[in-house]
Amino acid sequence: MRKSFPAEDLARDSRFRRARTEDRFEDPRNQYLPAGRRAGKLTPERPDAAHAARQMMHGIFVGEIQALEGAGRTVWDFDDEEAPFALKLDMARQCWDEARHTEISVKLGEWMGTEVGEFAETAFLYQAACNPDPVLRLTGVNRALEGLAIDVFNTMREFGQACGDPVLDFCEDWMLADEVTHVKMGSDWLRRLTEQDPERRERALEFQRVVDKLFSFRGFRGETDESPIQLARQFRRMAGFADAEIDTIAADARADSEQEGWKAPVG
Ligand SMILES: [Fe+2]
Ligand SMILES: [Fe+2]
């Protein structure tokens, strides 16, 4: 089996529609309104709440498939020198979790009134999992993107509670618990693998910051009522994020949200 499998060759059936990440970012339909007239926090009061929640759920669904594919690649792409066997065992456990999340997500999507392929799929998560350095995969995927998943799941969980939807609330809570574990794996292995190599740690954290900034979406993820996705400080702490790191993500998101013409990540 070949190593470093390209995103273009991932197996998908005819229901799926692939979009390029850069096209998604440039699509004028994904441009949000200027400051003061933004979509705002995901609450049942938002007139487009049902559509926005379904769109987000579809984004979660394709993210789960790619998280499964990315963790699977990390088990296979490296020898035991490059990635210790215990790290691969953690990634194998993650594959099992992501497979379960994929099944939960497709059923939850149906429950919410969407179906596979209603929205396009971009491959940014899997692309971050193609980094040739396993430590950068861990910071780009397990810490940055699964950290974002913590924020998304917590936001959706609270949305489910506010809607009085016990199915959405329960499913999101269940998956959130697993994502905290996945992010913690990223935090622990980053620390272990770079203990003697501060430069590699720095490079990995820089990669994480680039991914994090990209997915703060000019305020799409943040701490104010204007942000549809709320930064989940408590769960990030449980996943091995230091308060200073969370403060940096919040500050980057704030600085980015002050720019005009911010964009949504999915849709
Ligand atoms: Fe997941
Ligand atoms: Fe995960």
Side-chain angles (χ1 to χ4, degrees), residues 5-37:
F5 200 82
E8 297 70 40
D9 291 353
L10 293 174
R12 295 288 184 275
D13 67 30
S14 59
R15 292 171 297 174
F16 290 80
R17 290 154 215 281
R18 178 68 64 80
R20 296 190 321 153
T21 307
E22 46 277 44
D23 290 341
R24 175 69 58 77
F25 274 91
E26 295 308 321
D27 189 336
R29 292 171 299 176
N30 292 334
Q31 300 275 341
Y32 273 141
L33 299 166
R37 295 166 53 220

Short mmCIF file of all heavy atoms in Angstrom, two decimals, residues 5-37:
data_model
loop_
_atom_site.label_atom_id
_atom_site.label_comp_id
_atom_site.label_asym_id
_atom_site.label_seq_id
_atom_site.Cartn_x
_atom_site.Cartn_y
_atom_site.Cartn_z
N PHE A 5 -0.86 9.28 0.90
CA PHE A 5 -1.97 9.18 -0.05
C PHE A 5 -2.57 10.57 -0.31
O PHE A 5 -2.93 11.28 0.63
CB PHE A 5 -3.01 8.29 0.64
CG PHE A 5 -4.01 7.66 -0.25
CD1 PHE A 5 -3.70 6.50 -0.94
CD2 PHE A 5 -5.28 8.18 -0.35
CE1 PHE A 5 -4.64 5.89 -1.73
CE2 PHE A 5 -6.23 7.58 -1.14
CZ PHE A 5 -5.91 6.42 -1.84
N PRO A 6 -2.68 11.02 -1.60
CA PRO A 6 -3.17 12.38 -1.86
C PRO A 6 -4.68 12.52 -1.64
O PRO A 6 -5.44 11.57 -1.85
CB PRO A 6 -2.82 12.60 -3.33
CG PRO A 6 -2.69 11.24 -3.92
CD PRO A 6 -2.29 10.30 -2.83
N ALA A 7 -5.10 13.73 -1.26
CA ALA A 7 -6.51 14.00 -0.94
C ALA A 7 -7.42 13.72 -2.14
O ALA A 7 -8.56 13.30 -1.97
CB ALA A 7 -6.67 15.44 -0.48
N GLU A 8 -6.90 13.94 -3.35
CA GLU A 8 -7.72 13.76 -4.57
C GLU A 8 -8.17 12.31 -4.74
O GLU A 8 -9.16 12.03 -5.41
CB GLU A 8 -6.94 14.17 -5.83
CG GLU A 8 -6.53 15.63 -5.92
CD GLU A 8 -5.43 15.99 -4.92
OE1 GLU A 8 -4.51 15.17 -4.73
OE2 GLU A 8 -5.53 17.07 -4.30
N ASP A 9 -7.40 11.38 -4.17
CA ASP A 9 -7.70 9.96 -4.39
C ASP A 9 -8.54 9.32 -3.28
O ASP A 9 -8.76 8.11 -3.30
CB ASP A 9 -6.37 9.16 -4.53
CG ASP A 9 -5.64 9.52 -5.82
OD1 ASP A 9 -6.23 10.26 -6.64
OD2 ASP A 9 -4.50 9.09 -5.99
N LEU A 10 -8.99 10.11 -2.33
CA LEU A 10 -9.80 9.53 -1.25
C LEU A 10 -11.08 8.92 -1.81
O LEU A 10 -11.70 9.48 -2.72
CB LEU A 10 -10.15 10.60 -0.21
CG LEU A 10 -8.97 11.17 0.60
CD1 LEU A 10 -9.44 12.33 1.47
CD2 LEU A 10 -8.32 10.09 1.46
N ALA A 11 -11.49 7.79 -1.26
CA ALA A 11 -12.67 7.07 -1.78
C ALA A 11 -13.96 7.77 -1.34
O ALA A 11 -14.17 8.00 -0.16
CB ALA A 11 -12.65 5.64 -1.27
N ARG A 12 -14.77 8.14 -2.32
CA ARG A 12 -16.09 8.72 -2.02
C ARG A 12 -17.08 8.20 -3.05
O ARG A 12 -16.71 8.05 -4.22
CB ARG A 12 -16.06 10.27 -2.12
CG ARG A 12 -15.18 10.98 -1.12
CD ARG A 12 -15.77 10.95 0.29
NE ARG A 12 -14.96 11.72 1.21
CZ ARG A 12 -13.88 11.25 1.85
NH1 ARG A 12 -13.48 10.01 1.65
NH2 ARG A 12 -13.20 12.02 2.67
N ASP A 13 -18.32 7.97 -2.66
CA ASP A 13 -19.29 7.54 -3.67
C ASP A 13 -19.93 8.76 -4.33
O ASP A 13 -19.56 9.91 -4.05
CB ASP A 13 -20.31 6.56 -3.07
CG ASP A 13 -21.21 7.21 -2.03
OD1 ASP A 13 -21.48 8.42 -2.13
OD2 ASP A 13 -21.67 6.50 -1.11
N SER A 14 -20.89 8.51 -5.24
CA SER A 14 -21.41 9.58 -6.10
C SER A 14 -22.23 10.64 -5.34
O SER A 14 -22.57 11.67 -5.89
CB SER A 14 -22.26 8.98 -7.22
OG SER A 14 -23.32 8.25 -6.63
N ARG A 15 -22.55 10.36 -4.08
CA ARG A 15 -23.31 11.37 -3.33
C ARG A 15 -22.45 12.58 -2.94
O ARG A 15 -22.95 13.67 -2.72
CB ARG A 15 -23.89 10.76 -2.04
CG ARG A 15 -24.95 9.72 -2.29
CD ARG A 15 -25.31 9.01 -1.00
NE ARG A 15 -24.17 8.27 -0.46
CZ ARG A 15 -24.15 7.65 0.71
NH1 ARG A 15 -25.21 7.69 1.47
NH2 ARG A 15 -23.09 7.00 1.12
N PHE A 16 -21.15 12.37 -2.85
CA PHE A 16 -20.27 13.43 -2.33
C PHE A 16 -19.87 14.41 -3.41
O PHE A 16 -19.68 14.03 -4.56
CB PHE A 16 -18.99 12.81 -1.74
CG PHE A 16 -19.22 12.06 -0.46
CD1 PHE A 16 -19.73 10.77 -0.47
CD2 PHE A 16 -18.94 12.65 0.76
CE1 PHE A 16 -19.95 10.07 0.72
CE2 PHE A 16 -19.15 11.97 1.95
CZ PHE A 16 -19.66 10.68 1.93
N ARG A 17 -19.75 15.68 -3.02
CA ARG A 17 -19.29 16.71 -3.95
C ARG A 17 -18.08 17.40 -3.33
O ARG A 17 -18.16 17.92 -2.22
CB ARG A 17 -20.37 17.78 -4.14
CG ARG A 17 -21.54 17.28 -4.91
CD ARG A 17 -22.80 18.08 -4.56
NE ARG A 17 -23.98 17.21 -4.58
CZ ARG A 17 -24.60 16.83 -5.67
NH1 ARG A 17 -24.21 17.26 -6.83
NH2 ARG A 17 -25.65 16.02 -5.62
N ARG A 18 -17.00 17.38 -4.07
CA ARG A 18 -15.75 17.95 -3.54
C ARG A 18 -15.60 19.40 -4.03
O ARG A 18 -15.83 19.69 -5.20
CB ARG A 18 -14.56 17.11 -4.01
CG ARG A 18 -13.20 17.61 -3.59
CD ARG A 18 -12.95 17.49 -2.10
NE ARG A 18 -12.93 16.13 -1.61
CZ ARG A 18 -11.89 15.30 -1.70
NH1 ARG A 18 -10.77 15.70 -2.26
NH2 ARG A 18 -11.94 14.08 -1.22
N ALA A 19 -15.23 20.30 -3.13
CA ALA A 19 -14.91 21.69 -3.51
C ALA A 19 -13.48 21.98 -3.04
O ALA A 19 -13.01 21.39 -2.06
CB ALA A 19 -15.89 22.65 -2.85
N ARG A 20 -12.82 22.87 -3.75
CA ARG A 20 -11.46 23.24 -3.32
C ARG A 20 -11.57 24.21 -2.16
O ARG A 20 -12.43 25.11 -2.15
CB ARG A 20 -10.69 23.90 -4.46
CG ARG A 20 -10.46 22.95 -5.64
CD ARG A 20 -9.50 23.53 -6.65
NE ARG A 20 -9.72 24.97 -6.83
CZ ARG A 20 -8.78 25.82 -7.21
NH1 ARG A 20 -7.56 25.40 -7.46
NH2 ARG A 20 -9.06 27.10 -7.37
N THR A 21 -10.70 24.04 -1.17
CA THR A 21 -10.75 24.89 0.03
C THR A 21 -10.65 26.36 -0.36
O THR A 21 -11.41 27.20 0.16
CB THR A 21 -9.58 24.53 0.99
OG1 THR A 21 -9.63 23.12 1.23
CG2 THR A 21 -9.69 25.27 2.31
N GLU A 22 -9.76 26.69 -1.32
CA GLU A 22 -9.59 28.09 -1.70
C GLU A 22 -10.85 28.65 -2.36
O GLU A 22 -11.21 29.81 -2.16
CB GLU A 22 -8.35 28.31 -2.57
CG GLU A 22 -8.12 27.35 -3.69
CD GLU A 22 -7.43 26.03 -3.31
OE1 GLU A 22 -7.77 25.42 -2.29
OE2 GLU A 22 -6.56 25.60 -4.09
N ASP A 23 -11.58 27.80 -3.13
CA ASP A 23 -12.82 28.27 -3.74
C ASP A 23 -13.87 28.57 -2.67
O ASP A 23 -14.63 29.53 -2.76
CB ASP A 23 -13.38 27.21 -4.70
CG ASP A 23 -12.52 27.07 -5.95
OD1 ASP A 23 -11.74 28.00 -6.23
OD2 ASP A 23 -12.61 26.04 -6.63
N ARG A 24 -13.91 27.71 -1.65
CA ARG A 24 -14.86 27.92 -0.55
C ARG A 24 -14.59 29.27 0.12
O ARG A 24 -15.50 30.03 0.42
CB ARG A 24 -14.69 26.77 0.45
CG ARG A 24 -15.51 26.87 1.70
CD ARG A 24 -16.99 26.70 1.47
NE ARG A 24 -17.36 25.44 0.85
CZ ARG A 24 -17.41 24.26 1.49
NH1 ARG A 24 -17.12 24.20 2.75
NH2 ARG A 24 -17.77 23.18 0.85
N PHE A 25 -13.33 29.57 0.32
CA PHE A 25 -12.97 30.83 0.97
C PHE A 25 -13.32 32.03 0.10
O PHE A 25 -13.69 33.08 0.60
CB PHE A 25 -11.48 30.86 1.31
CG PHE A 25 -11.16 30.23 2.62
CD1 PHE A 25 -10.85 28.89 2.70
CD2 PHE A 25 -11.20 30.96 3.80
CE1 PHE A 25 -10.58 28.28 3.91
CE2 PHE A 25 -10.93 30.37 5.02
CZ PHE A 25 -10.61 29.02 5.07
N GLU A 26 -13.17 31.84 -1.23
CA GLU A 26 -13.40 32.97 -2.14
C GLU A 26 -14.86 33.12 -2.55
O GLU A 26 -15.24 34.15 -3.10
CB GLU A 26 -12.54 32.79 -3.41
CG GLU A 26 -11.04 32.83 -3.18
CD GLU A 26 -10.60 34.06 -2.39
OE1 GLU A 26 -11.15 35.15 -2.64
OE2 GLU A 26 -9.72 33.93 -1.53
N ASP A 27 -15.69 32.13 -2.29
CA ASP A 27 -17.09 32.15 -2.74
C ASP A 27 -17.83 33.32 -2.08
O ASP A 27 -17.95 33.37 -0.86
CB ASP A 27 -17.75 30.83 -2.36
CG ASP A 27 -19.14 30.68 -2.96
OD1 ASP A 27 -19.76 31.71 -3.28
OD2 ASP A 27 -19.60 29.54 -3.11
N PRO A 28 -18.34 34.28 -2.90
CA PRO A 28 -19.00 35.44 -2.30
C PRO A 28 -20.24 35.07 -1.48
O PRO A 28 -20.62 35.80 -0.57
CB PRO A 28 -19.40 36.30 -3.51
CG PRO A 28 -19.22 35.45 -4.71
CD PRO A 28 -18.28 34.33 -4.36
N ARG A 29 -20.84 33.90 -1.76
CA ARG A 29 -22.01 33.49 -0.96
C ARG A 29 -21.61 33.18 0.48
O ARG A 29 -22.46 33.13 1.37
CB ARG A 29 -22.67 32.26 -1.57
CG ARG A 29 -23.33 32.55 -2.91
CD ARG A 29 -23.77 31.28 -3.56
NE ARG A 29 -22.63 30.39 -3.80
CZ ARG A 29 -22.73 29.15 -4.29
NH1 ARG A 29 -23.90 28.66 -4.59
NH2 ARG A 29 -21.65 28.42 -4.49
N ASN A 30 -20.32 32.92 0.69
CA ASN A 30 -19.86 32.63 2.05
C ASN A 30 -19.34 33.87 2.78
O ASN A 30 -18.81 33.77 3.87
CB ASN A 30 -18.76 31.57 2.01
CG ASN A 30 -19.31 30.23 1.58
OD1 ASN A 30 -20.49 29.95 1.78
ND2 ASN A 30 -18.48 29.41 0.98
N GLN A 31 -19.50 35.02 2.16
CA GLN A 31 -19.08 36.27 2.81
C GLN A 31 -20.15 36.67 3.82
O GLN A 31 -21.32 36.71 3.47
CB GLN A 31 -18.97 37.40 1.79
CG GLN A 31 -17.98 37.15 0.68
CD GLN A 31 -16.57 37.54 1.06
OE1 GLN A 31 -16.40 38.31 2.00
NE2 GLN A 31 -15.60 37.03 0.35
N TYR A 32 -19.72 36.91 5.01
CA TYR A 32 -20.68 37.40 6.00
C TYR A 32 -20.82 38.90 5.90
O TYR A 32 -20.10 39.58 5.20
CB TYR A 32 -20.26 36.99 7.41
CG TYR A 32 -20.76 35.63 7.78
CD1 TYR A 32 -19.97 34.77 8.52
CD2 TYR A 32 -22.02 35.19 7.41
CE1 TYR A 32 -20.42 33.51 8.88
CE2 TYR A 32 -22.48 33.94 7.75
CZ TYR A 32 -21.67 33.10 8.48
OH TYR A 32 -22.11 31.88 8.83
N LEU A 33 -21.80 39.41 6.62
CA LEU A 33 -22.07 40.84 6.60
C LEU A 33 -21.00 41.60 7.38
O LEU A 33 -20.31 41.02 8.21
CB LEU A 33 -23.44 41.11 7.23
CG LEU A 33 -24.61 40.44 6.50
CD1 LEU A 33 -25.85 40.47 7.37
CD2 LEU A 33 -24.86 41.13 5.18
N PRO A 34 -20.88 42.91 7.15
CA PRO A 34 -19.89 43.69 7.90
C PRO A 34 -20.19 43.71 9.40
O PRO A 34 -21.29 43.32 9.82
CB PRO A 34 -20.03 45.10 7.33
CG PRO A 34 -20.86 44.98 6.11
CD PRO A 34 -21.63 43.72 6.20
N ALA A 35 -19.22 44.18 10.16
CA ALA A 35 -19.36 44.24 11.62
C ALA A 35 -20.69 44.88 12.01
O ALA A 35 -21.12 45.85 11.41
CB ALA A 35 -18.20 45.04 12.20
N GLY A 36 -21.32 44.33 13.05
CA GLY A 36 -22.58 44.88 13.53
C GLY A 36 -23.79 44.24 12.86
O GLY A 36 -24.89 44.29 13.38
N ARG A 37 -23.59 43.61 11.70
CA ARG A 37 -24.72 42.96 11.02
C ARG A 37 -24.37 41.50 10.72
O ARG A 37 -24.74 40.95 9.72
CB ARG A 37 -25.04 43.70 9.72
CG ARG A 37 -25.53 45.12 9.96
CD ARG A 37 -25.50 45.94 8.67
NE ARG A 37 -26.20 45.30 7.58
CZ ARG A 37 -25.76 45.30 6.32
NH1 ARG A 37 -24.63 45.87 6.01
NH2 ARG A 37 -26.45 44.70 5.37
#
